Amino acid sequence: FFEKMEHLDLLIIDDFGMKKLEGQQQNDFEQIIDDRYHKKSLILSSQLAVSDWYSIFSNEMLAEACLDRIVHKAIRFTLKGDSMRKKY
């Protein structure tokens, strides 16, 4: 799985934080983020504020490792306004 992920130039993770990461999921997520850092592109979308992302992890050390790498080189877009789902 990780070898396949390595070959992707762009990884998109949609709705980050919908569920807490538990046990091995935290380690796997950290490995994915670490493998992509300085090498490949990542788009991460979330409805949570960045300040709430720590609550997704049960392990503070893994949360810090992941979020530091994500936020360090991020270009951040914050969308405002009503949901387009309400319009349609």
Side-chain angles (χ1 to χ4, degrees):
F1 174 76
F2 291 108
E3 287 178 18
K4 287 181 183 178
M5 299 288 278
E6 233 177 80
H7 296 290
L8 299 173
D9 290 328
L10 172 63
L11 175 64
I12 300 172
I13 300 174
D14 190 23
D15 283 333
F16 178 68
M18 293 290 286
K19 292 173 76 176
K20 284 188 94 162
L21 297 175
E22 301 290 342
Q24 188 61 40
Q25 293 173 330
Q26 296 175 100
N27 295 316
D28 293 345
F29 185 76
E30 191 275 332
Q31 183 176 345
I32 290 167
I33 298 305
D34 189 55
D35 288 348
R36 300 196 73 75
Y37 190 66
H38 287 305
K39 299 174 195 160
K40 302 283 183 161
S41 298
L42 171 69
I43 295 176
L44 190 81
S45 75
S46 179
Q47 294 186 31
L48 294 175
V50 175
S51 59
D52 294 333
W53 286 5
Y54 281 90
S55 66
I56 297 167
F57 297 84
S58 58
N59 181 315
E60 266 187 57
M61 189 170 68
L62 284 174
E64 188 64 39
C66 291
L67 299 178
D68 183 57
R69 285 172 178 82
I70 291 169
V71 174
H72 177 248
K73 298 188 83 168
I75 298 171
R76 190 169 156 190
F77 298 92
T78 303
L79 303 178
K80 296 181 181 184
D82 290 335
S83 170
M84 291 302 289
R85 290 185 185 127
K86 291 179 183 178
K87 187 174 182 177
Y88 299 100

